[in-house]
Each structure stands twice: as structure tokens, then as C-alpha cells.
């Protein structure tokens, strides 16, 4: 059920008023909200799993592990670490300025808008919200309309656990989202795709609203021939199968030495059979495609490929099921290289050298994550130096998300702004610098006032004449 | 001199492409190379200081001491310091993680964002052009500098001296006005750093939105001064007037207007007069220690605002239109709705707004856009705390004005209408740097990762979903 568009400005105003009232300032209050968020995820897990089963066909284990468990654990961790994050900082300064008491306060930005996508809706709604709560902001959550059951559930359970004066769920589609975007926010946190991100950024520009854009792209996998192909195939396939490939950090396509392609295909086949002895079509451990339109998009891309399908995934349009499908000998210009696949199709692009693989990646938009399988330290260094991506992960896929101390971000077309734990807290926090000039400093400050004596000018401009060190090239 | 319009589209895009190509070539990666560019920047400021002072004298009537101190000296000091601290900033980080994740070698690389566009204003053109550039150089980015067309001698000078010191394959100056800036904004950049006003900031943000370009917006606003009656009014007046006189009030952190207890207003005015006479015994009109207004347009704007005020002018600043001179002018009994409260003054006019309580002052400030800095003069810790808690501003400075900019270790930023994104020293470095997270999964981890693969045994499911059932601590409210 959509929120009436006309009530949206009122909701925003109410959240702003709550923010100004100071309700969110005390740390125990914020910690309580964080614990409540954890309790919500824990207590309502069955309803959440049911909703995501209904909307997405997401396997229960996946929901519990990646969505519910993450939120419970991280909300509790945030609450524990919050006092440390929120500490006022006293930077180390030269002696002559210590008496000025240079200080950095952590100030909440205000009222935030968090727009989340359909694929990992728990974590991508509540991970940003955790940071907003921790920072002392109020917030509106706008979950995806592609998940009607889940979005409706949020509207029911969120106010039972989180203070509705500070946090509200707003549902709807384009009209409601447009209304939200007409308003001024103190931060907008958007997770989704580049097309909509441009719309969000344009709307934000009118109000000078700061943004976080967590987008996607085609995350490449480069395989060094010397690496254990069998292990690489296992770790890549596992990453691809999560949510049937519908995740921003899914390994999108693989670049492998031409003469290793068939060995790789064989390894994929082997591990697929091990993961899904009866195939993925009816496996409760493999997700469905989110919608008919996305299902059609994927099957259409497949139908247009000029590559050779080597692992033929079975399909079921009625249930929107699509088994992992692997295509080899895919070349530049193929349908499978046009856009982020966001599905269980894995194109393999044969290359003849590492340099060719690097050039292939660099000819495209910066991905959210670059995966590479290699034990060669110089090769890893070369990839770090010669490519750009949000993250760069060696010898695995997807697992990097489990490290909550690592900032998660995109670059270029894959977005900007950081999240996870303290990084999300920082996103919703403004560093507010301060000094407190004692009266006693007046003697030291005297020379700044006009009229300037020659001595004063000399002292004030001393920095101009300081010797500059020699360059060491 | 603007780059000729007919060659703009190709030329500007070509410049950007060339800078991108050099970025990709990896020249900017080595720390020693970046340090060299930073030292070169310092050398440029040091060696060319006379030309710089002359250009700013010509364009702005800026006093030489002000240029040397606030602009040239500042750049030299911060370039050198940045070079010195760069190895520390650029260090790859290894965050502390749970034991079971340690073998994965969690790492945070510091990656340069790429090619940046730095657009700077006319008022503190050295520091506002080169302070962001220091961060871009340190981060390993390449950059285009677009200085303000309102300072033509200075912008032209930059076009001449910058390539003599900084590698022109990495750093370029592009001059011009609206057409050239529009062309620049049509292109994709890896970061745009804009210092200026809210109106143009919206144009820049809209252009950036088309390319998903991240931004830093260093804007302004009306920076209020709240004076607690119990504070030494004489000292407050001195420290406020000094801040206001810098560059004739044409600075984003100039104290814009004062809120003071009604019964202290006249004492404050007296103190302002006294210190004005001390600063400028013969008045500021012809003083080489006091700046001029940047343009005829701005001079007209200021005198027009003054002519429309309903407040009482208590320190009548003399004006000289030809030389664009305007002495400090103080107006008391200014009320909400006055011309002097409409927009950021950005000039040597100081309105005093009498209030009847601290809360009234706080409400007055909070009814307006978040300022770049809130100034407050008070000795009471509870008053300071209240201001920290109950207001929002980029910075909050107690018992002085302007001086907080001297502290290299404090991030400088706005909030709301005053902008976003931090600068100064490491904060500027961070602005142009992307944190690039990494793990490196050893083969030996495979037994521990075993439970993640389907099909999941009951034991695997239990282990994987353990966090769902973790104990949540009780709330302590």
C-alpha cells in the first residue's frame, strides 16, 4: 500500500522537528534504537523470510544468513562501538595552538532519506539505517516497490520497534519516490542502478543534498592461468549462485587464458553438480528471478549471445526460475557484455594475456568490485596499480562483504560514499570543527591587528620564506 | 585571457582526455613524484610571490601583507607539510578484524580518484585554488584548475606560472567565463571541487549528476556572531572587527551579523568604534592594510543594501566608487526582514541585531540556513554546550573569528546550504582518495569456508545462521 504522496512532506517535516527537539542526541537512546532494530530482525525473522520467499523466492537460509543475521549482528556491534565513534576529537596541534582547544564535534547531519533496492532488501535498507541511527539522524526508509509483501511488512513492523517519531517507512512507486525527491534532505543514501542514480543526484542537486550512491556494474573476474582452476571455479560459482546472481557484487563475467577455458568449464560443471545434485531448478537453496520483466531480460540476453552455451540452465517462466548458465568464447560486443547481468548467467571471455585482460577491464566503467585469482604477488600489485574499482578481491568472490571493518563503496559508474559500521556512521555525521580562544591568547595574537609594524609583518609572513626541502626523485 | 571560444569544445575535452591518459599511465603513483610536485607548488608560491601580490593588488586591491600571510604563506606551509605527511596518509591500512577473518588479509588501499576539476572563486584565489590542488596532488590525481574570471590578472598569471612549476601533463589551468565553465561541466570528472556560492553550486551539482561525479561544495552563507552579555564586550568587538576587516569582509567565514543583548548594544558599538580607530587611525579608505571591493557590481550591491537598511548607521564608512573602496560600516537596531539580513553580505558592513535572550538568538540563527561558521563569545561552558547541541553549522568557533582557519588539523566544511565535503591537509587528501577495500583468501581457508557451499547440512545451516539467534544486550535508558 502506497503512502499518500501528499502526506510525504508532512512526514519529512515531522522527522525534522523530532531531530531539532534533540530526542536523538543521547547515545543511550540511539543504542536502544539499534538494539530494537536487532530485536526486530530477530523476532520477526519468520515473517521476513516468508515475505522474501513470496516476493523473491529467496531461500530461507540465504535470508537468515545474509540479511537477518547480518542486521542483528551489526546493529548490536554498532551500539557497542557507538560511544567510541561519537567521541569528540581533540586533534594534536603544535604547542602554540594548544590553548585554542581545537576540537572536532561529531554532529548528526539531520534528516536522511534511504532508498533501497529489491535484491537484498533487509540489509540494504537497514545497514544504512544503522549508520543514520548511530549518527543521531532521523530517517525515512523507502523500500523497493518490486517487493510488495516485504515493503508492506516493514510498514507494519518498523513502527513496533523503532520510534516512529524518528524513523518512518514510506511506500510507493514512481509518484511517491518523485515526491520524496522533491524535498530537501540532509543526506540521501541510494542503492540501485546508474540510471535512477542520475535522477536521484539531479534531484539532490536542487537542494545541495549530499549523497551516497551504491551502484553496480559488471564485476569482472580475472583468472591467472597458474592458479588452481578447480578452486577458482568453485569460489566463483558460489558467488554467482547467491540470490541467483542478483547482487551488485556478483562475479559478472570471467576473463581467462584461452587455453584454460575448457578446463575452467569442466570445473564449473563439476562444482555445479556438487552444489545442486538434482540441478538448481527446483532447489530450495537457489533463488528465483525477481520479476517477469527481469526474467525476460535475462533469457533475451541469452538468446542473443554469440558465445557457446556450455552449461545449459533449464528455465521455468511461470516460477521465474533460471538455472546457472555458463557461456564460453564470449567476445567483445556480445549481448552478455552489454549491461550488468544481475542473473545466473556467466560469460567466459577468453584472452591471450594478463595485459589483454587488464585492458578489457579498463576499457569499461569502473566496476564495484574486481575479482582476481592469482598467487603471483606482482600480478596482484599490477592489478591494484593499473585498474580502478570500488573493491579488489583476490582469490574469492562475495566473501569480502563479511568483513564489516572494510569500507564498502563504488567508484566512477559504480558510485561513491562509504558504508559498513563506522563508515556508515561517518556518512551520516558531519565533522564540526571548533576552537575556543582564551582571553590570555590576546598577547600572542596582537600582531595580527592593523596597523602592522615591520616586526609584525615579518612574523606574520614568516611562512613565506621558509626553506623548501629538496625534491628526491 | 580566455581560451578562444571556437576551440573550446575540442580543447577542453582534449585537455581532460590528456590528463586522464597521464593518470592512467601511472606517472602520479609514486609518492616521491607527488612530493616533488608539492614542493614545486611551494616553490612557485615562494618565487612568484611578487607577481602574485601585484596581480591581486591589481584585481582586488588586496593589501600585500594579507596576500603574503593568508594566501602565499599558507600555500607554502601546507604544500610542504602535505609532502612531509603524505607517506603516512598514503599508507595502505590493515584494519583490525575478528580472528577468523585475519587470514583473509583485509586491506584498505588508498586509490587516487582520477582526474579532478577544481573551480575557485575570486576572493582568496591562491588559497582556494591551491589548497584543493594540494590534496589532489597528494592523492595522485591529475587536475584542471579553473580560476575565477573576476580576477583576470591573477588567472592569466596562473596560466603562465603554473606550467613552469607543475607538470603540465598532470595539472592544467583553464581560463574563461560562463561558456568555458559550461564546457568543463559537460565533461565527466572523477571529482569536482567547487568553492563559491549556492546558486552556481546547484548548477555544478546538476552537471555532476549526469556523470555521477562526486562533489565537494565549499559555500558560504550568513555567519552569525552571538555575544553573551557576560563576555568582555571590548575584547569581543576587537576580535570580531578584525575578522570582518580581512579582505574587506569578502570571505566565506567573515562574521556576517551580530546578535547581542539589547542593553549591551551601545557598549558594543562604542567598542567597535574604538578598535576601528586603533586599526585605522586615518580611517580605512586609503589604508594599504584594508582591501577593496572586487568589482563595480559588488560595490553597487553593497551600497544598495546599505541604502535600504532600516537600521541605524553608527559607524559611517566612507565610500569611493572609482576605487571601489568601502570603509567598515556598522549598523545597529537591525531587525528581521532588513535588507542587511537578506543575503550573505560579503563586504565590510556589520549589522547588529539586538535580542532579549540567548534563546532568541538561537532561534534567530536556527530559522535560517545552516551557516558555514557560527561564532559565539561566551565564557560559560553551559552556553557553549547549548550552542553545540542546539544549532548546526559547518564550524563553531568560540571567542574569536577567522582564526580557526589557521589550524591545519581541523577539517573545514559546510553543512546544508553552506555545502559539504571536508578540506585542509589530510582531509583534502581524503577527498581526492578512494578507499579501495580488499581481501586475499588463502587456499588453506577452504575447510573453514566449506559450510557456505550448497547443499547445506543441518550443521552448516546452524553455523551459518548463528548470528540470527545471538543475545541482544538489554537497553540502558
Amino acid at each position: 500500500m502506497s503512502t499518500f504522496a501528499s502526506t510525504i512532506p508532512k512526514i519529512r517535516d515531522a522527522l525534522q522537528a523530532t531531530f531539532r527537539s534533540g530526542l536523538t542526541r543521547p547515545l543511550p537512546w540511539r543504542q536502544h534504537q539499534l538494539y530494537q532494530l536487532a530485536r526486530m530482525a530477530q523476532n520477526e525473522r519468520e515473517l521476513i523470510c516468508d515475505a522474501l520467499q513470496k516476493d523473491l523466492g529467496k531461500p530461507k537460509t540465504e535470508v537468515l544468513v545474509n540479511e537477518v543475521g547480518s542486521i542483528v549482528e551489526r546493529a548490536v556491534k554498532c551500539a557497542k562501538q557507538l560511544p567510541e565513534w561519537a567521541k569528540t576529537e581533540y586533534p594534536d596541534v603544535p604547542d602554540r595552538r594548544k590553548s585554542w582547544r581545537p576540537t572536532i564535534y561529531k554532529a548528526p547531519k539531520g534528516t536522511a532519506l534511504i532508498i533501497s533496492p529489491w535484491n537484498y532488501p533487509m540489509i540494504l535498507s537497514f545497514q544504512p539505517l544503522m549508520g543514520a541511527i548511530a549518527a543521531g539522524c532521523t530517517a525515512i526508509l523507502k523500500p523497493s516497490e518490486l517487493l510488495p509483501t516485504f515493503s508492506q511488512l516493514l510498514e507494519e513492523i518498523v513502527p513496533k520497534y523503532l520510534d516512529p517519531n524518528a524513523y518512518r517507512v514510506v511506500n510507493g512507486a514512481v509518484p511517491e519516490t518523485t515526491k520524496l525527491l522533491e524535498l530537501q534532505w540532509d543526506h540521501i543514501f541510494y542503492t540501485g542502478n546508474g540510471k535512477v542514480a542520475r535522477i536521484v543526484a539531479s534531484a539532490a542537486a536542487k537542494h545541495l543534498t549530499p549523497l551516497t550512491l551504491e551502484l553496480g556494474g559488471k564485476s569482472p573476474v580475472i583468472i591467472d592461468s597458474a592458479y588452481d582452476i578447480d578452486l577458482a571455479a568453485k569460489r566463483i560459482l558460489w558467488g554467482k549462485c547467491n540470490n541467483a546472481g542478483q547482487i551488485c557484487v556478483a562475479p559478472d563475467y570471467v576473463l581467462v587464458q584461452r587455453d584454460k577455458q575448457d578446463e575452467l568449464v569442466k570445473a564449473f560443471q563439476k562444482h555445479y553438480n556438487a552444489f545442486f545434485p538434482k540441478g538448481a531448478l527446483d532447489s530450495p537453496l537457489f533463488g528465483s528471478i525477481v520479476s517477469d520483466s527481469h526474467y525476460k531480460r535475462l533469457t533475451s540476453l541469452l538468446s542473443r549471445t554469440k558465445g557457446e552455451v556450455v552449461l545449459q540452465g533449464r528455465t521455468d517462466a511461470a516460477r521465474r526460475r533460471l538455472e546457472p548458465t555458463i557461456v564460453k568464447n564470449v567476445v567483445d560486443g556480445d549481448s552478455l557484455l552489454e549491461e550488468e547481468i544481475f542473473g545466473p548467467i556467466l560469460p567466459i571471455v577468453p584472452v591471450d594475456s594478463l595485459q589483454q585482460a587488464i585492458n578489457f577491464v579498463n576499457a569499461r566503467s569502473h566496476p564495484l568490485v574486481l575479482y582476481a585469482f592469482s598467487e603471483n604477488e606482482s600480478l596482484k600489485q599490477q592489478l591494484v596499480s593499473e585498474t580502478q574499482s570500488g573493491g579488489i578481491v583476490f582469490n574469492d568472490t562475495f566473501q569480502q562483504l563479511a568483513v564489516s571493518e572494510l569500507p564498502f563503496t563504488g567508484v566512477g559508474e559504480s558510485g561513491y560514499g562509504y558504508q559498513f559500521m563506522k563508515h556508515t556512521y561517518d556518512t551520516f555525521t558531519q565533522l564540526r570543527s571548533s576552537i575556543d580562544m582564551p582571553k590570555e591568547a590576546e598577547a600572542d595574537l596582537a600582531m595580527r591587528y592593523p596597523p602592522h609594524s615591520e616586526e609584525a609583518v615579518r612574523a606574520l609572513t614568516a611562512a613565506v620564506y621558509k626553506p623548501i626541502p629538496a625534491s628526491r626523485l
Side-chain angles (χ1 to χ4, degrees), chain A:
Chain A
M1 170 145 75
S2 299
T3 312
F4 287 120
S6 58
T7 67
I8 286 171
K10 284 195 185 143
I11 297 173
R12 194 281 311 256
D13 291 350
L15 294 180
Q16 276 183 343
T18 303
F19 176 75
R20 284 181 186 161
S21 76
L23 181 70
T24 65
R25 284 181 214 140
L27 295 190
W29 189 92
R30 302 182 202 176
Q31 287 169 314
H32 171 62
Q33 297 299 317
L34 289 166
Y35 288 142
Q36 284 291 96
L37 178 56
R39 289 169 193 136
M40 181 188 88
Q42 194 170 80
N43 298 352
E44 309 295 344
R45 63 189 179 276
E46 293 298 327
L47 289 180
I48 291 164
C49 286
D50 289 347
L52 293 180
Q53 175 60 238
K54 189 158 177 220
D55 287 340
L56 282 173
K58 230 192 220 215
K60 185 170 179 175
T61 307
E62 260 187 52
V63 178
L64 289 178
V65 173
N66 293 325
E67 299 240 61
V68 176
S70 286
I71 294 300
V72 175
E73 184 187 47
R74 289 180 183 188
V76 169
K77 254 180 157 164
C78 281
K80 285 208 178 117
Q81 296 182 27
L82 178 53
E84 191 55 42
W85 300 345
K87 265 193 188 147
T88 298
E89 285 174 27
Y90 301 97
D92 194 30
V93 301
D95 284 345
R96 69 185 190 284
R97 293 191 183 136
K98 284 186 158 82
S99 66
W100 303 5
R101 286 208 255 155
T103 302
I104 305 171
Y105 296 106
K106 309 296 177 67
K109 286 186 178 177
T111 300
L113 171 62
I114 297 168
I115 301 174
S116 48
W118 51 263
N119 64 331
Y120 278 78
M122 272 298 283
I123 191 131
L124 297 175
S125 301
F126 295 110
Q127 186 153 255
L129 182 63
M130 267 182 237
I133 295 173
C137 291
T138 54
I140 281 187
L141 295 178
K142 169 62 187 73
S144 170
E145 60 270 25
L146 285 188
L147 305 170
T149 323
F150 176 79
S151 304
Q152 183 54 34
L153 178 65
L154 285 200
E155 226 179 295
E156 288 158 20
I157 62 177
V158 166
K160 285 190 189 156
Y161 290 85
L162 301 183
D163 189 334
N165 290 306
Y167 315 107
R168 296 284 298 267
V169 175
V170 167
N171 277 321
V174 171
E176 291 74 16
T177 309
T178 304
K179 199 72 209 167
L180 284 166
L181 291 173
E182 280 170 15
L183 304 174
Q184 183 273 339
W185 302 93
D186 299 302
H187 196 90
I188 295 178
F189 195 112
Y190 170 75
T191 305
N193 67 68
K195 185 178 78 72
V196 175
R198 282 166 166 80
I199 295 169
V200 173
S202 297
K206 298 189 173 67
H207 294 288
L208 303 178
T209 298
L211 288 166
T212 301
L213 302 177
E214 294 281 13
L215 313 176
K218 295 181 77 60
S219 294
V221 187
I222 295 177
I223 306 180
D224 175 2
S225 299
Y227 193 85
D228 179 346
I229 293 273
D230 184 79
L231 185 59
K234 186 180 187 189
R235 291 178 171 182
I236 294 167
L237 188 65
W238 171 73
K240 190 66 161 183
C241 286
N242 271 287
N243 201 28
Q246 299 166 107
I247 180 167
C248 52
V249 293
D252 189 282
Y253 67 99
V254 174
L255 295 152
V256 69
Q257 192 84 10
R258 199 175 296 278
D259 59 12
K260 289 284 182 177
Q261 204 183 192
D262 289 336
E263 190 183 333
L264 180 64
V265 169
K266 253 192 161 141
F268 277 134
Q269 186 84 56
K270 166 187 159 198
H271 291 294
Y272 175 67
N273 294 335
F275 291 176
F276 306 103
K278 300 187 196 164
L281 193 71
D282 302 305
S283 169
L285 300 174
F286 188 76
S288 303
I289 305 307
V290 64
S291 67
D292 295 327
S293 100
H294 275 282
Y295 180 86
K296 264 202 197 79
R297 179 182 66 80
L298 290 164
T299 50
S300 161
L301 286 175
L302 256 178
S303 71
R304 292 193 292 116
T305 183
K306 303 267 192 297
E308 184 191 329
V309 178
V310 287
L311 183 72
Q312 180 73 61
R314 291 171 296 171
T315 63
D316 179 342
R319 289 184 297 145
R320 300 191 307 276
R321 304 287 296 172
L322 176 57
E323 287 184 323
T325 304
I326 299 176
V327 187
K328 78 172 199 182
N329 283 333
V330 173
V331 299
D332 196 358
D334 194 85
S335 62
L336 299 178
L337 295 176
E338 284 169 7
E339 55 184 65
E340 186 174 1
I341 294 173
F342 226 72
I345 304 169
L346 186 64
I348 304 174
V349 178
V351 290
D352 296 299
S353 67
L354 171 70
Q355 197 56 56
Q356 192 189 351
I358 291 178
N359 294 343
F360 194 95
V361 168
N362 284 346
R364 290 160 169 70
S365 302
H366 302 327
L368 187 54
V369 57
L370 169 63
Y371 294 112
F373 285 79
S374 177
E375 290 190 300
N376 190 322
E377 285 312 314
S378 65
L379 195 157
K380 294 178 197 173
Q381 257 324 293
Q382 190 182 354
L383 288 171
V384 169
S385 299
E386 294 182 18
T387 66
Q388 280 183 273
S389 59
I392 178 163
V393 172
F394 298 107
N395 304 328
D396 205 354
T397 66
F398 193 60
Q399 195 65 50
Q400 70 275 15
L401 298 187
V403 188
S404 58
E405 293 81 359
L406 287 177
F408 182 82
T409 187
V411 67
E413 282 291 324
S414 47
Y416 53 81
Y418 305 107
Q419 64 170 318
F420 280 18
M421 298 302 289
K422 181 171 194 292
H423 295 281
T424 330
Y425 169 84
D426 288 342
T427 285
F428 290 99
T429 296
Q430 177 231 332
L431 299 181
R432 193 178 187 195
S433 293
S434 182
I435 61 167
D436 189 345
M437 189 65 78
K439 292 190 174 131
E440 299 71 38
E442 201 58 14
D444 298 321
L445 300 171
M447 52 175 195
R448 70 183 186 181
Y449 302 108
H452 301 301
S453 66
E454 263 190 57
E455 191 191 317
V457 171
R458 253 203 305 276
L460 290 169
T461 59
V464 177
Y465 310 99
K466 69 183 277 185
I468 296 159
S471 299
R472 272 179 219 145
L473 281 172

